Amino acid sequence: MTSERETVAIIGLGLIGGSIARDLAAQGMRIAGYDTDPAALDQACEDGIVEDRLEPSLAGVEGADTVILAVPVSATRSVLRVASQRLTGPRLVTDVGSTKRNAVASAAEFGLGEHFVGSHPMAGGHRSGWRAAGTGLFRGARTYLCPTPSTGAEALSRATALWSSLGAHTEVIDAGAHDERVAFTSHLPHAVSSALAVALAKANCKPDDLGPGGRDMLRIAASSPELWTAIMMDNTDAVRDALAAFGAELERLSETLGTGDRSALQSQLSDAQVWLMDNSKS
Amino acid sequence: MTSERETVAIIGLGLIGGSIARDLAAQGMRIAGYDTDPAALDQACEDGIVEDRLEPSLAGVEGADTVILAVPVSATRSVLRVASQRLTGPRLVTDVGSTKRNAVASAAEFGLGEHFVGSHPMAGGHRSGWRAAGTGLFRGARTYLCPTPSTGAEALSRATALWSSLGAHTEVIDAGAHDERVAFTSHLPHAVSSALAVALAKANCKPDDLGPGGRDMLRIAASSPELWTAIMMDNTDAVRDALAAFGAELERLSETLGTGDRSALQSQLSDAQVWLMDNSKS
């Protein structure tokens, strides 16, 4: 340890990693940071958030109490491999990716099982990069925690404390069950938003033609295609199942319209409204 | 005319009609109002917005310079029929429904062609009723104006001035072309949002399980099922065409996922993002 202050290494200083860095720095922690974009890393240092620059080799990461990977899910495995060669006894290694099965499996494979807890904060936005990062991004957000088969009590407890300190609510869940759930709650909405945008483009509509409801539906389609390609490709089967389930509902709605059965259509629209109303109670 | 002040009769005091009433009353106009819900009408009078109560027979509507129907599209035809029997020479009759072909045809059929301009303000929200109404709802909103084959210059000019005074931007468009366009820009997003909610409900998800992007996509599914059943049923063929076009995009996305072709998936997601970026330029 290079400092008596708690040191957190954050690999990846985009919207998520950068926002974690800002919040933890405000808590007084010492932030060691790395980003593949040197300009982002420079800016994070200039902004006074990152105190220690890590090298591409991640030399220096071994001094951190906690290591947080905030990289695209397609990079998680290779970064875990590099980090695992340097880490001797971290208290917690975690990531923030939107898929968890492969991250948890890779951590276990590289000998980090005891110290690893996969994290998935349900927060973000369609902007990305260090400049999009800000404080308080995780306040009130659900954050899934996915242990490996051998995660120790200290790592899980530190992960819970970390996210609680950022204002998030944690929920421990098996990585496989997580990926199936978020296929519906996160990846499906994203895929639907993107497909809707493309359908509107092909129909020669302009974004300005939309009303407020339509605009709400398209916001997430503006998110990074690179990040979302990696996420969906890391959860292909579950996302396709969710798309099929949604497609069946869409088809049912179209068929109801075709029959002209008003009460059946109203019943379908009411089912959606009733389900949403449960939101306000919970 | 019962007053030297400009008098506007507003039939239907829900979110849209009520918000128009509030804005026009603030401009100093005399508002004559009617609603099938006596409590809403009472409240609109108590709030000092509606000065003259109209009867269910619409007796009194003949004194208005401008008549605005703000009723569900399923009621437009019958209200136009009743109103047409009383109106001798209004300067403008308009409606605010989300579909325009049948409204324009009914107005022409009932002899109101010269004085009628169909309106569709692209504004609203998922809340409904007089209590949801407020000022400024139409500020910045696009409002489509659909003339009949015989709409006179005065009626069109008054409709344009009316919406401009509410802060809206007007666009004159043929009623049939309007209905085909909003099938994509308004009815499709609504149908998709509802189908998504039902698919999530059937997958045993809770609204709280969603991240911010998913929540954005479901907001409009909370809108009134009655109103939206009427809207979709008044534009069945165009909505089904839009659903089919969207379904094809969704299927294409699922197939790309199935092949594991990363660059093809990223290209699809990028098409969506690029189209949305045009928004900021326009």
Side-chain angles (χ1 to χ4, degrees):
Chain A
M1 222 144 326
T2 59
S3 158
E4 289 188 19
R5 282 155 65 211
E6 174 103 9
T7 299
V8 179
I10 302 180
I11 301 161
L13 296 165
L15 171 64
I16 302 293
S19 296
I20 295 172
R22 286 190 176 279
D23 277 349
L24 294 184
Q27 289 176 25
M29 293 192 190
R30 183 176 185 99
I31 308 296
Y34 176 69
D35 199 279
T36 51
D37 175 9
L41 185 51
D42 288 346
Q43 192 63 51
C45 293
E46 267 175 49
D47 290 349
I49 303 297
V50 168
E51 295 184 50
D52 305 319
R53 295 176 74 108
L54 295 175
E55 300 297 315
S57 67
L58 299 187
V61 75
E62 57 274 18
D65 302 287
T66 293
V67 179
I68 302 174
L69 276 65
V71 299
V73 294
S74 51
T76 301
R77 184 175 166 81
S78 63
V79 176
L80 276 174
R81 182 191 281 121
V82 172
S84 70
Q85 290 158 357
R86 299 194 169 269
L87 296 170
T88 48
R91 297 163 85 178
L92 170 66
V93 179
T94 188
D95 76 322
V96 300
S98 296
T99 47
K100 297 269 65 84
R101 196 183 329 232
N102 289 334
V104 163
S106 296
E109 183 185 335
F110 300 137
L112 292 168
E114 183 185 347
H115 306 293
F116 187 83
V117 179
S119 304
H120 174 201
M122 296 281 281
H126 62 270
R127 300 194 313 133
S128 54
W130 172 261
R131 284 173 196 284
T135 55
L137 182 65
F138 309 100
R139 220 172 277 143
R142 181 178 304 189
T143 297
Y144 292 109
L145 298 183
C146 302
T148 72
S150 57
T151 295
E154 192 197 351
L156 188 56
S157 149
R158 283 182 73 88
T160 305
L162 169 73
W163 290 105
S164 297
S165 81
L166 301 175
H169 311 296
T170 56
E171 178 179 332
V172 176
I173 183 174
D174 167 75
H178 166 275
D179 285 8
E180 282 172 25
R181 190 189 293 182
V182 297
F184 273 92
T185 60
S186 172
H187 309 171
L188 173 62
H190 198 99
V192 166
S193 185
S194 285
L196 183 59
V198 175
L200 289 167
K202 289 188 178 175
N204 294 317
C205 300
K206 300 280 171 211
D208 270 1
D209 295 337
L210 295 162
R215 279 196 292 272
D216 279 350
M217 296 201 60
L218 291 165
R219 199 164 298 122
I220 51 173
S223 311
S224 160
E226 293 81 0
L227 286 181
W228 278 91
T229 297
I231 292 166
M232 289 186 198
M233 282 293 175
D234 201 40
N235 201 21
T236 308
D237 291 345
V239 175
R240 294 191 77 201
D241 286 350
L243 283 169
F246 167 68
E249 281 311 311
L250 204 70
E251 182 59 32
R252 194 165 69 92
L253 201 144
S254 180
E255 278 170 15
T256 305
L257 270 170
T259 63
D261 184 341
R262 271 172 199 274
S263 68
L265 180 60
Q266 188 165 327
S267 155
Q268 269 177 270
L269 300 182
S270 293
D271 286 347
Q273 192 194 37
V274 165
W275 180 75
L276 281 162
M277 294 301 177
D278 280 342
N279 203 14
S280 48
K281 287 180 220 152
S282 62
Chain B
M1 225 150 317
T2 58
S3 159
E4 290 189 18
R5 282 156 65 210
E6 173 103 8
T7 299
V8 178
I10 302 179
I11 301 161
L13 296 165
L15 172 64
I16 302 292
S19 296
I20 296 171
R22 286 190 176 277
D23 276 348
L24 295 184
Q27 290 176 24
M29 296 194 189
R30 184 176 185 97
I31 309 296
Y34 177 70
D35 199 280
T36 50
D37 174 9
L41 185 50
D42 288 347
Q43 192 63 51
C45 294
E46 267 175 48
D47 290 348
I49 303 297
V50 168
E51 294 184 51
D52 305 318
R53 295 174 74 109
L54 296 175
E55 300 296 316
S57 67
L58 299 186
V61 76
E62 57 275 17
D65 302 286
T66 293
V67 178
I68 302 173
L69 276 64
V71 299
V73 294
S74 50
T76 302
R77 184 175 166 82
S78 63
V79 176
L80 276 173
R81 182 192 279 120
V82 172
S84 69
Q85 290 157 359
R86 298 193 170 271
L87 296 171
T88 48
R91 298 165 83 178
L92 171 66
V93 180
T94 189
D95 76 321
V96 300
S98 296
T99 47
K100 298 268 63 84
R101 194 182 332 230
N102 289 333
V104 164
S106 295
E109 181 184 336
F110 299 138
L112 292 169
E114 184 185 347
H115 306 292
F116 187 83
V117 179
S119 304
H120 174 201
M122 297 281 280
H126 61 270
R127 300 194 312 135
S128 55
W130 171 260
R131 285 174 195 282
T135 56
L137 183 66
F138 308 101
R139 220 173 279 144
R142 180 178 303 189
T143 296
Y144 292 109
L145 298 183
C146 302
T148 73
S150 56
T151 295
E154 192 196 351
L156 188 56
S157 148
R158 285 182 73 87
T160 305
L162 169 72
W163 289 106
S164 296
S165 81
L166 300 176
H169 311 295
T170 55
E171 178 179 333
V172 176
I173 184 174
D174 167 75
H178 166 274
D179 285 9
E180 281 172 26
R181 190 188 293 182
V182 297
F184 274 91
T185 60
S186 171
H187 309 170
L188 173 62
H190 198 99
V192 166
S193 185
S194 285
L196 183 60
V198 175
L200 288 168
K202 288 187 178 176
N204 294 315
C205 300
K206 300 282 171 209
D208 270 0
D209 295 338
L210 296 162
R215 279 196 292 273
D216 279 350
M217 296 202 62
L218 291 164
R219 200 165 296 122
I220 51 173
S223 310
S224 160
E226 294 80 0
L227 287 181
W228 278 91
T229 297
I231 291 166
M232 289 187 198
M233 282 292 175
D234 200 39
N235 202 21
T236 308
D237 292 345
V239 174
R240 294 192 77 202
D241 287 349
L243 282 169
F246 167 69
E249 282 311 312
L250 204 70
E251 182 59 31
R252 193 163 70 91
L253 202 146
S254 180
E255 279 170 13
T256 304
L257 270 171
T259 63
D261 184 341
R262 272 172 197 273
S263 68
L265 180 60
Q266 188 165 326
S267 156
Q268 270 179 271
L269 299 182
S270 292
D271 286 347
Q273 193 195 37
V274 165
W275 179 76
L276 281 162
M277 293 301 176
D278 281 342
N279 202 14
S280 47
K281 286 180 222 152
S282 61

